[in-house]
Amino acid sequence: MKKVHVKSYGCQMNVYDAERMADVLAAQGYEETPSVDDADLVILNTCHIREKAAEKVYSELGRIRENKAVRARQGLETRVVVAGCVAQAEGAEIMRRAPVVDVVVGPQSYHRLPELLAARNRDAAIDIEFPVEDKFRALPARRNGAEGRNVSAFLTIQEGCDKFCTFCVVPYTRGAETSRPVAALLEEAKRLVGLGVKELTLLGQNVNAWHGEGPDGKTWSLGRLLRRLADIDGVERLRYTTSHPRDMDDELIAAHRDVPQLMPYLHLPVQAGSDRILAAMNRRHTADDYRRIIDRVRAARPDIALSSDFIVGFPGETDADFAETMRLVNDVRFASAFSFKYSARPGTPAADREDQLPEDVKSARLAELQAALERDRIAFNQAMTGRVIEVLVDRKGRAAGQMAGKSPYLQGVHFEAPEAIFGAVAVVEVLEATAGSLRARYLGVKGASALGGGAFHQASAAPYSGAAQGIANAT
Ligand code: 5AD
Ligand code: SF4
């Protein structure tokens, strides 16, 4: 059997796309290999969001070229595909600079991989169109993947972006905003549950802008879709990412109050705390708009873990602007966050501004911001100590006898437990917050009779409904 190795960079949607490429290639007789050395086909699924992305791809291609030469001496052929957002942005330039590449394919065309691999000339082996045909319709059904994938899976519901924040390449690499139809999503979700998946993470560059015609003929929003997905037997947990503040509507906020399967976690990028910078970024909301949304979300789900993305050093950002970002962070207290130095992306409006900031200013601001975010992350995790929470067990722990998984708040949790609970929702008591995860004591499996659920019910009926306010809704 031929082997394919897919190396994915960047966001979760790339992880999803990588899996779907493997689905396409499985139908062509390829099996996945975790090692690049024994791969007959290597796919680099690239990311273009920040600087040096393209350079990284070219140096990786250099390594692959050496690898290919080694394999060639053993009489083995290696073919190379560059996919993802760098492929979309660079197109034929990749073929020119790196002759080792056989196929260049953008994020909207990878369902055509078999044809592209069979192309007779290099021009025909490039596809960076935004085709009218629906890639999703052309893709084969989801298959069983690697072990962990069968517990928690991504499901792309929306792609592209029409918001045009002035720093961002996404509207150019992923194209216009499109939503997948309800029926297709329900079908894919049911298929995944049939494979044993317990947790679905709905993906989109602007996931809360998703809308589609429901079976009732009405236009559904994400809140409505989440309710419908929660009705599917076997869907234990739902998450969605990434959202834009402007699309946080009442129905979605209400879903956080009403849908027990919807996990108390919200990634809602704000990028900056200064209204002047937010306007220059074309975010079309103010810092106070954001605070008000957070207040409404917290009113709906008081224990929700909030997460965000930040950019420091956007062109023209003053000390006073940056102080506003720090003030927002100190007001909201995020459970987790990603923060970046502004990086000028070719073709985006902000890249052409003349008031770019020096690197050392950006670095100093990033360090200050990250220290505050880290303080809040640790505080959030430490506040979990003593609480009884549910953990979806999706892997073995690092040490022997340990199992691990995710809390409702997306924290990693590890504890000693029998291997048989893989894929189940475990109930645990948090003992301690360590640097990267929570250490816990296993109490039992949620609602199960076969795996010691009875013991759990005796041991912790009271704390489960009381101390664990975070999962009060989830039961
Ligand atoms: N520079 C720095 N960070 C960026 N992001 C997007 N574009 C840029 C850029 N040009 C960050 C934003 C976004 C996250 C996915 O990446 O914070 O939310
Ligand atoms: Fe980029 Fe803004 Fe669209 Fe997010 S909303 S993908 S940051 S343009």
Side-chain angles (χ1 to χ4, degrees), residues 49-50 167-168 269 271 309-311 340-345:
I49 196 87
R50 280 173 295 274
F167 52 80
C168 186
Q271 314 295 359
D309 291 341
F310 294 90
I311 296 177
F340 313 99
K341 288 191 253 187
Y342 169 73
S343 145
R345 310 306 294 128

Side-chain angles (χ1 to χ4, degrees), residues 161 163-165 167-168 170-171 205-206 244 271 283:
C161 182
K163 296 267 190 307
F164 290 92
C165 298
F167 52 80
C168 186
V170 165
Q205 268 90 30
N206 255 303
H244 192 288
Q271 314 295 359
R283 293 289 291 177

Side-chain angles (χ1 to χ4, degrees), residues 193 197-202 223-240 252 254-265 301 304 390 392 407-410 425 446 470-475:
V193 170
V197 167
K198 305 282 171 31
E199 174 177 79
L200 293 173
T201 300
L202 311 184
R224 185 78 187 75
L225 178 68
L226 284 163
R227 281 172 201 263
R228 179 65 189 84
L229 288 168
D231 285 342
I232 297 176
D233 243 5
V235 172
E236 301 256 2
R237 289 183 163 193
L238 289 166
R239 302 180 183 277
Y240 60 93
L252 183 53
H256 276 286
R257 184 190 60 215
D258 301 335
V259 180
Q261 291 94 333
L262 182 56
M263 288 294 105
Y265 184 94
R301 187 71 208 239
I304 199 156
E390 295 183 353
L392 178 60
S407 78
Y409 314 101
L410 213 58
V425 175
K446 182 191 174 189
I471 45 169
N473 278 351
T475 51

Side-chain angles (χ1 to χ4, degrees), residues 298-364:
R298 278 189 166 142
R301 187 71 208 239
D303 64 311
I304 199 156
L306 294 166
S307 162
S308 188
D309 291 341
F310 294 90
I311 296 177
V312 299
F314 185 82
E317 186 187 68
T318 62
D319 283 341
D321 290 321
F322 177 64
E324 287 295 287
T325 298
M326 293 300 290
R327 192 162 71 82
L328 182 76
V329 166
N330 290 332
D331 287 349
V332 176
R333 303 281 167 162
F334 292 95
S336 72
F338 301 92
S339 45
F340 313 99
K341 288 191 253 187
Y342 169 73
S343 145
R345 310 306 294 128
T348 60
D352 295 333
R353 288 181 52 153
E354 277 163 18
D355 47 359
Q356 305 286 332
L357 295 195
E359 210 45 37
D360 57 340
V361 173
K362 292 188 203 174
S363 300

Side-chain angles (χ1 to χ4, degrees), residues 38 69 92 139 146 156 177 207 228 239 267 306 327 351 355-356 373-374 447 449:
D38 62 4
L139 289 169
T156 294
E177 191 180 293
V207 74
R228 179 65 189 84
R239 302 180 183 277
H267 181 65
L306 294 166
R327 192 162 71 82
D355 47 359
Q356 305 286 332
L373 292 169
E374 184 62 4
S449 48

